[in-house]
């Protein structure tokens, strides 16, 4: 076939380094950008096959999110804007690791297994972030797409690409499949939500935003005019100078528990940080004594959950209302757990997303600030019917209209820093809450997150939604013995989904104890799970 001849020709331009093995993880492929050219070409091929199989538009996003600027990565987006299915994750790994002379065989194997008609037209949307390597790597994706039949969106945030894939595949029912369509839908919903809030001052409309020197900074600038001064943003780390995610961004703020470089806060001023591809967000502020206060994904989930619960309680026909979380979170022992259903899952957005889909309304956030709200089709129809029912009393109708605009403000396809920021700002305005009042909904135990480099992250195996380890032998016992030394203490470890590191979380009654516990558990991981490099040092 002529198509396969073109694949062979273009594959030679994007050769695979002999012996290199990569794994499609929770965030797709992610590593140093110099190792990814062949992977990008092959993911272009795979996305085209996926499009032919599903008879729908598939997305490919070139990004490494919160990783350093020298890294890059790629992930596929399925028809409704969700992560690609596990079987196709396997195909991605198979295709990426096939040696050069085996590529056509691997490709034909997927076509045969999935009974794909190569005559079927394909549609692929390709997006990229602002990394220096993203131009050439996204071109490699396009080479793969063109070798088998696609469309390039250029510079977009990861959530915008997910959104536009969903719009395209719902024939516009979810929205207009353009960046401007995204801006219009979200900004109109935000303005509708906040227009009836009495006496909003300029201080209440003001927000400091750290763009992580990434794509989110460019896109939120473009969106500002659509917001008509209903939100007044002061943008820092906008990409005009400084490296992507270096001393800034959501991951830096979350792990270091300090403000990013260049952001000077006055007491009580609301600030937020995106990550490099704008699918995570965390908030923070400085207290009157200069103490740094972080409002991470757990605090965000609590704010949104209690707001939705309050609106639903105004209806006699309220939906089942859950809140879905990963386990490494103090929020599970907060007052929230008595107000909503809390479900534990393995860490990772795809696990959270699927669990949240089981309910009429599902709120999920990882502590790192990645999350969103999902509404079932039945819940959306019920909300729309109540909002349009002229016989509904005024209070219930107002609540229904607020819910309807809340649905429109949320990017249900994936966590989205811009959408989540607008939702948080709207909720704070509607409830008349300051950032301090939000923070006081519950109190986090002092905690610390650390990373331990290991030779192979797969030596760590976990159970009980990743709350306990089953291998290597002796590690869980070592963790348990160290936890017993401290008051109100917990600690968990889990392998990263994208790199050979083990993530360590610890909490205790004081910050000193949390730091000490995190260090002791890190040492146990280093010694029992094949740590590499220097032994972890005390904080």
């Amino acid at each position: 076939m002529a198509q396969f001849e073109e694949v062979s020709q273009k594959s030679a331009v994007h050769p695979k380094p002999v012996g290199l093995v990569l794994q499609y993880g929770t965030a797709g492929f992610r590593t140093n950008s110099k190792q990814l050219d062949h992977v990008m070409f092959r993911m272009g091929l795979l996305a085209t096959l996926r499009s032919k199989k599903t008879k729908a538009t598939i997305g490919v996003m070139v990004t490494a999110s919160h990783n350093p600027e020298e890294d890059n990565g790629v992930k596929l987006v399925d028809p409704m804007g969700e992560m690609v299915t596990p079987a196709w994750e396997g195909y991605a790994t198979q295709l990426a690791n096939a040696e050069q002379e085996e590529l056509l065989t691997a490709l034909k194997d997927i076509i045969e297994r999935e009974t794909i008609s190569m005559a079927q037209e394909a549609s692929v949307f390709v997006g990229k972030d602002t990394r220096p390597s993203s131009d050439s790597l996204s071109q490699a994706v396009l080479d793969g797409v063109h070798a088998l039949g696609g469309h390039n969106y250029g510079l977009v945030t990861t959530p915008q690409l997910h959104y536009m894939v969903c719009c395209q595949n719902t024939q516009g029912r979810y929205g207009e499949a353009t960046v401007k369509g995204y801006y219009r839908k979200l900004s109109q919903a935000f303005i509708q939500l906040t227009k009836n809030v009495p006496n909003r001052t300029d201080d209440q409309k003001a927000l400091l935003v750290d763009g992580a020197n990434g794509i989110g900074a460019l896109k939120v600038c473009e969106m500002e005019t659509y917001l008509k001064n209903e939100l007044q943003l002061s943008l820092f780390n906008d990409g005009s100078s400084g490296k992507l995610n270096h001393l800034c961004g959501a991951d830096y703020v979350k792990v270091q528990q300090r403000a990013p470089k260049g952001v000077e806060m006055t007491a009580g001023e609301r600030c937020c940080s995106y990550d490099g591809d704008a699918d995570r967000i965390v908030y923070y502020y400085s207290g009157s004594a200069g103490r740094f206060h972080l409002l991470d994904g757990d605090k965000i989930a609590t704010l949104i959950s209690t707001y939705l619960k309050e609106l639903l309680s105004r209806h006699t026909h309220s939906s089942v209302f859950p809140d879905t979380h990963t386990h490494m979170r103090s929020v599970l022992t907060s007052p929230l757990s008595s107000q909503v259903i809390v479900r534990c899952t393995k860490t990772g957005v795809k696990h959270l997303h699927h669990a949240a889909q089981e309910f009429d309304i599902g709120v999920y956030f990882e502590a790192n600030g990645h999350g969103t709200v999902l509404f079932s089709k039945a819940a959306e129809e019920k909300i729309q019917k109540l909002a349009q029912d002229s016989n509904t009393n005024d209070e219930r109708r107002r609540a229904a209209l607020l819910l309807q605009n809340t649905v429109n403000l949320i990017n249900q396809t994936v966590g989205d820093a811009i959408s989540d920021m607008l939702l948080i700002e709207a909720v704070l305005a509607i409830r008349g809450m300051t950032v301090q009042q939000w923070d006081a909904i519950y109190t986090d135990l002092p905690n610390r997150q650390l990373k331990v480099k290991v030779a192979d992250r797969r030596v760590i195996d976990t159970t009980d939604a990743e709350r306990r380890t089953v291998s290597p032998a002796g590690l869980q016992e070592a963790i348990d013995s160290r936890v017993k030394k401290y008051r109100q203490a917990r600690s968990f470890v889990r392998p990263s989904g994208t790199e050979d590191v083990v993530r360590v979380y610890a909490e205790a009654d004081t910050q000193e104890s949390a730091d000490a516990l995190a260090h002791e558990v890190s040492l146990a991981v280093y010694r029992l799970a094949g740590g590499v490099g220097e032994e972890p040092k005390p904080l």
Side-chain angles (χ1 to χ4, degrees):
M1 288 175 71
Q3 284 174 318
F4 293 128
E5 286 175 22
E6 190 169 351
V7 169
S8 292
Q9 290 168 5
K10 288 193 173 176
S11 175
V13 182
H14 304 284
K16 175 188 178 293
V18 176
L20 178 65
V21 176
L22 297 171
Q23 180 76 30
Y24 195 99
T26 53
F29 292 107
R30 196 177 293 177
T31 187
N32 187 285
S33 60
K34 292 175 182 175
Q35 295 185 320
L36 283 170
D37 183 69
H38 74 289
V39 173
M40 296 294 179
F41 171 73
R42 294 171 184 205
M43 290 310 99
L45 298 174
L46 189 66
T48 307
L49 293 183
R50 183 70 178 151
S51 176
K52 290 174 184 287
K53 170 68 178 179
T54 59
K55 300 178 182 176
T57 296
I58 297 298
V60 182
M61 186 68 200
V62 178
T63 183
S65 186
H66 58 281
N67 279 40
E69 191 172 79
E70 57 270 19
D71 287 356
N72 217 319
V74 60
K75 61 181 175 181
L76 271 59
V77 179
D78 251 3
M80 289 300 104
E82 73 275 43
M83 305 295 182
V84 74
T85 63
W88 283 72
E89 288 183 0
Y91 295 152
T93 301
Q94 176 188 341
L95 210 55
N97 292 327
E99 296 301 341
Q100 202 69 11
E101 64 277 7
E102 300 165 355
L103 178 59
L104 283 183
T105 304
L107 205 59
K108 289 172 182 176
D109 179 54
I110 296 166
I111 293 165
E112 189 176 322
R113 277 201 228 175
E114 294 291 330
T115 59
I116 296 167
S117 167
M118 295 306 289
Q120 174 67 39
E121 286 192 9
S123 172
V124 179
F125 288 176
V126 181
K128 60 184 176 182
D129 69 12
T130 56
R131 293 164 194 271
S133 60
S134 290
D135 280 346
S136 62
L137 291 178
S138 61
Q139 186 54 54
V141 174
L142 287 168
D143 284 354
V145 171
H146 294 151
L148 285 177
H151 186 87
N152 178 22
Y153 257 107
L155 283 168
V156 290
T157 68
T158 296
Q160 285 174 334
L161 184 75
H162 283 255
Y163 173 90
M164 289 185 289
V165 167
C166 184
C167 290
Q168 185 74 8
N169 288 316
T170 56
Q171 290 74 52
R173 285 192 304 278
Y174 190 66
E176 181 189 326
T178 65
V179 174
K180 285 184 178 177
Y182 168 94
Y183 294 150
R184 279 194 288 265
K185 181 181 176 181
L186 269 60
S187 59
Q188 285 167 12
F190 177 78
I191 290 165
Q192 287 298 312
L193 280 170
T194 56
K195 71 176 183 181
N196 295 319
V197 176
N199 308 318
R200 271 183 87 214
T201 65
D202 283 348
D203 278 353
Q204 289 167 325
K205 294 179 182 180
L207 177 67
L208 273 58
V209 179
D210 158 31
N213 291 317
I215 184 67
L218 296 179
K219 295 302 167 183
V220 82
C221 276
E222 291 176 4
M223 191 174 192
E224 265 201 279
T225 56
Y226 293 82
L227 295 170
K228 300 178 179 175
N229 291 320
E230 287 304 309
L231 190 60
Q232 295 163 14
L233 305 176
S234 299
L235 185 62
F236 297 86
N237 300 313
D238 62 359
S240 56
S241 63
K243 286 180 69 175
L244 183 73
N245 294 320
H246 181 61
L247 303 179
C248 61
D251 196 55
Y252 173 84
V253 172
K254 170 67 179 169
V255 174
Q256 299 299 324
Q257 299 195 30
R258 65 177 67 172
K261 183 181 180 182
V263 176
E264 293 183 11
M265 305 181 290
T266 58
E269 195 171 22
R270 288 192 319 286
C271 311
C272 69
S273 285
Y274 303 165
D275 67 333
D277 66 337
D279 64 359
R280 295 183 183 185
I281 188 170
V282 294
Y283 269 68
Y284 44 95
Y285 69 97
S286 176
S288 54
R291 181 173 159 242
F292 179 81
H293 293 257
L294 175 70
L295 295 101
D296 63 7
D298 291 340
K299 292 274 185 175
I300 293 169
T302 307
L303 177 73
I304 294 169
S305 299
T306 51
Y307 159 74
L308 289 169
K309 181 76 171 177
E310 187 181 296
L311 286 182
L312 289 166
S313 68
R314 298 183 196 177
H315 296 302
T316 54
H317 307 295
S318 61
S319 303
V320 177
F321 186 75
D323 184 12
T324 311
H325 272 278
T326 46
H327 62 272
M328 286 190 177
R329 316 297 175 236
S330 301
V331 76
L332 292 179
T333 53
S334 80
L336 180 64
S337 56
S338 65
Q339 298 176 44
V340 297
I341 300 166
V342 178
R343 171 73 59 84
C344 274
T345 77
K346 288 177 68 176
T347 303
V349 173
K350 64 183 178 183
H351 303 297
L352 288 160
H353 197 88
H354 289 310
Q357 284 174 322
E358 295 174 17
F359 302 96
D360 280 340
I361 301 176
V363 180
Y364 73 80
F365 272 84
E366 294 187 287
N368 61 28
H370 189 293
T372 189
V373 185
L374 304 184
F375 295 84
S376 70
K377 189 177 179 183
E380 284 198 30
E381 287 172 354
K382 188 181 289 185
I383 290 165
Q384 193 170 354
K385 187 177 177 184
L386 285 165
Q388 293 170 350
D389 187 355
S390 57
N391 296 319
T392 306
N393 70 46
D394 286 349
E395 186 184 357
R396 288 183 65 195
R397 190 148 187 259
R398 180 176 179 272
L401 285 167
L402 285 171
L403 277 167
Q404 188 177 47
N405 282 305
T406 300
V407 171
N408 288 333
L409 184 54
I410 293 164
N411 183 351
Q412 294 186 54
T413 65
V414 73
D416 182 340
I418 293 174
S419 167
D420 290 340
M421 174 190 77
L422 294 175
L423 178 59
I424 291 162
E425 291 299 310
V427 171
L428 291 175
I430 291 163
R431 300 183 75 181
M433 293 177 75
T434 64
V435 70
Q436 294 95 330
Q437 288 169 327
W438 170 21
D439 195 19
I441 291 176
Y442 72 88
T443 303
D444 266 317
L445 282 170
N447 59 80
R448 180 66 64 188
Q449 292 187 54
L450 298 173
K451 293 193 290 189
V452 181
K453 288 187 178 181
V454 293
D456 183 358
R457 66 184 184 272
R458 289 171 294 184
V459 300
I460 299 273
D461 193 17
T462 62
T463 187
D464 189 20
E466 295 184 316
R467 284 178 283 196
R468 297 188 68 77
T469 61
V470 292
S471 69
L475 180 57
Q476 187 58 51
E477 291 77 9
I479 295 169
D480 291 342
S481 68
R482 285 152 179 79
V483 166
K484 285 177 185 174
K485 293 166 56 179
Y486 301 96
R487 296 179 59 190
Q488 294 181 270
R490 298 192 301 170
S491 184
F492 312 105
V493 305
R494 69 171 183 87
S496 165
T498 56
E499 53 186 327
D500 280 323
V501 301
V502 177
R503 301 191 187 280
V504 174
Y505 173 85
E507 67 183 26
D509 63 334
T510 68
Q511 190 63 57
E512 292 76 15
S513 293
D515 289 349
L517 177 57
H519 173 247
E520 289 179 31
V521 172
S522 295
L523 276 176
V525 170
Y526 181 89
R527 290 166 182 170
L528 294 171
V532 296
E534 284 190 21
E535 196 173 78
K537 299 280 192 297
L539 294 166

